[in-house]
Amino acid sequence: MADTATRPITPPPRELPETLQLTPDQIKQFEINRLKAKARQREKEQEASISSTTLNGNDKRPLGVTPAISNSPTAPGGSRPLKRDSRLGTYFEYDLSKMVNSKGGFLLEDGNEIDEGIRRKEREREKQRARQNLDPPMHLDRALNPQCAECQSLDIDQTFKKVFGCLVCKKCQNGIPEKYSLLTKTECKEDYLLTDPELRDEELLPHLLKANPHASTYANMMLYLRCQVEDFAWKKWGSAEALDAEYERRISEKRKRKNKKFEQGLKELRKRTKEGIWQRRKDEEHKHVFGELERGPDGQGQQVCHTCGFTIDVEVI
């Protein structure tokens, strides 16, 4: 099928006859003409790119290459920012690639130092607890293995054996809490009236270290075996009755000190209240302000208070 409009094609180069000889001046002129033609072609392309906004006969922009210097958003290498859309209202633009985590406004260096200190304390306390949790090996001979002091069982708690030197199994610990339960340092001080130096001495009262349930950064809990604490308290105070008597005496003294402090505060409050009432009454007392002396018809002088109208008679000499 033949096209009505033939597409232009580049004709093949013509072969110059051998008899045609070009002079150097002619070759030079050919080169000058070729360069001029290229310059005119560049000018036409530049004019077409500048006038790309004008529409052709089909109401479309002429096809052309968008130069790099063009203001078009499709220009190569263009870094022009997008225009703000007014329909989105007021908003802030953030470059997420440049944002830094500021830890909620706290100082980063101080936070790192605190974190390092916390981690160091946690590692030290974990090492202390790990030393107590190592289990020794079992002997093949049953007679050489330690047995529970209550039920003669071989399944003893190695932690109690290592820390407290007490041979007892888990079952007996839970079954006899009045003897094998663990007490905190605060309970030992309040219930058995023991002091800090006595509780710190591991030869007198061995203790078990456990993580503090309130916070990992707090000091480890010191747990004591109830039977050992009671034996030491009986030796210190003489007997359980003597411990109870000392406990009651301290409670009564504490109650007396509390009541004395309350009475002292109440006394100070009453004193301040009385002073306030007396001062208020004194301020509320009326002071007469008398005017000039006026003579009555009988020749006797009178003075009248300007505030309340009180009148007094004055004898004129």
Side-chain angles (χ1 to χ4, degrees):
M1 180 177 181
D3 296 337
T4 57
T6 59
R7 183 177 180 182
I9 59 175
T10 303
R14 295 179 296 174
E15 296 182 0
L16 295 177
E18 297 179 357
T19 58
L20 182 60
Q21 297 293 334
L22 297 177
T23 61
D25 294 338
Q26 291 176 342
I27 296 175
K28 182 179 179 180
Q29 188 65 34
F30 289 163
E31 291 294 330
I32 292 174
N33 294 338
R34 186 174 63 84
L35 295 176
K36 289 182 180 180
K38 284 187 177 182
R40 287 194 298 269
Q41 182 68 20
R42 290 196 197 97
E43 291 178 0
K44 290 181 180 180
E45 291 178 355
Q46 188 174 1
E47 291 176 359
S49 63
I50 294 174
S51 61
S52 61
T53 56
T54 60
L55 303 179
N56 55 15
N58 297 326
D59 294 336
K60 293 185 180 294
R61 290 185 302 172
L63 181 61
V65 179
T66 304
I69 60 175
S70 175
N71 295 329
S72 175
T74 60
S79 59
R80 185 179 178 183
L82 297 177
K83 187 178 179 181
R84 182 190 293 268
D85 192 350
S86 60
R87 294 175 298 176
L88 298 177
T90 304
Y91 61 92
F92 298 93
E93 295 181 358
Y94 295 97
D95 189 358
L96 300 180
S97 62
K98 297 181 181 179
M99 294 184 67
V100 180
N101 185 8
S102 61
K103 304 297 182 181
F106 295 96
L107 299 179
L108 298 178
E109 296 181 358
D110 296 345
N112 294 336
E113 294 177 0
I114 293 174
D115 293 342
E116 290 294 335
I118 292 174
R119 284 194 289 267
R120 184 174 63 255
K121 291 180 181 179
E122 291 180 354
R123 286 194 296 267
E124 291 176 359
R125 294 191 176 96
E126 287 178 359
K127 290 180 181 178
Q128 292 178 357
R129 294 191 294 267
R131 295 192 196 102
Q132 298 177 354
N133 296 331
L134 297 177
D135 296 337
M138 296 288 292
H139 294 280
L140 297 177
D141 190 359
R142 182 183 178 87
L144 298 178
N145 292 321
Q147 299 178 0
C148 177
E150 302 293 338
C151 63
Q152 307 303 320
S153 174
L154 297 179
D155 189 17
I156 64 171
D157 191 343
Q158 298 295 335
T159 303
F160 272 52
K161 176 187 175 184
K162 193 175 303 179
V163 177
F164 304 112
C166 178
L167 300 178
V168 64
C169 61
K170 290 286 187 180
K171 182 179 180 181
C172 295
Q173 288 181 31
N174 300 328
I176 314 176
E178 63 276 4
K179 185 176 181 180
Y180 297 108
S181 60
L182 297 177
L183 302 175
T184 62
K185 185 178 180 180
T186 305
E187 292 174 343
C188 295
K189 292 171 64 176
E190 294 180 354
D191 297 342
Y192 296 94
L193 308 180
L194 302 181
T195 60
D196 283 332
E198 294 171 346
L199 295 172
R200 292 197 194 100
D201 192 349
E202 295 187 3
E203 295 182 357
L204 294 177
L205 291 172
H207 55 268
L208 174 65
L209 295 177
K210 279 196 174 183
N212 199 306
H214 300 287
S216 60
T217 56
Y218 291 176
N220 290 328
M221 285 196 310
M222 301 171 66
L223 302 178
Y224 300 85
L225 192 60
R226 181 181 291 273
C227 59
Q228 294 180 352
V229 173
E230 290 181 351
D231 293 341
F232 181 78
W234 303 162
K235 293 178 182 178
K236 178 180 179 180
W237 300 107
S239 62
E241 291 76 10
L243 175 61
D244 293 339
E246 179 66 18
Y247 182 82
E248 292 295 335
R249 185 186 69 81
R250 294 190 182 188
I251 291 296
S252 61
E253 289 183 357
K254 183 178 179 180
R255 190 180 298 111
K256 288 180 181 178
R257 288 195 300 269
K258 186 176 180 180
N259 292 336
K260 185 178 179 180
K261 184 178 180 180
F262 176 75
E263 293 293 339
Q264 186 68 22
L266 188 59
K267 184 177 179 181
E268 293 291 336
L269 179 61
R270 289 174 178 172
K271 184 178 179 181
R272 290 195 301 269
T273 304
K274 288 181 179 179
E275 291 178 355
I277 294 174
W278 177 81
Q279 186 66 31
R280 187 165 60 253
R281 290 177 179 176
K282 187 176 180 180
D283 295 339
E284 291 177 355
E285 289 180 357
H286 176 64
K287 294 182 180 180
H288 298 292
V289 181
F290 296 101
E292 297 180 356
L293 180 64
E294 299 178 357
R295 291 181 177 271
D298 54 353
Q300 191 174 5
Q302 293 182 349
Q303 283 184 330
V304 181
C305 177
H306 295 297
T307 305
C308 62
F310 181 72
T311 306
I312 58 175
D313 297 333
V314 181
E315 183 178 358
V316 180
I317 300 177

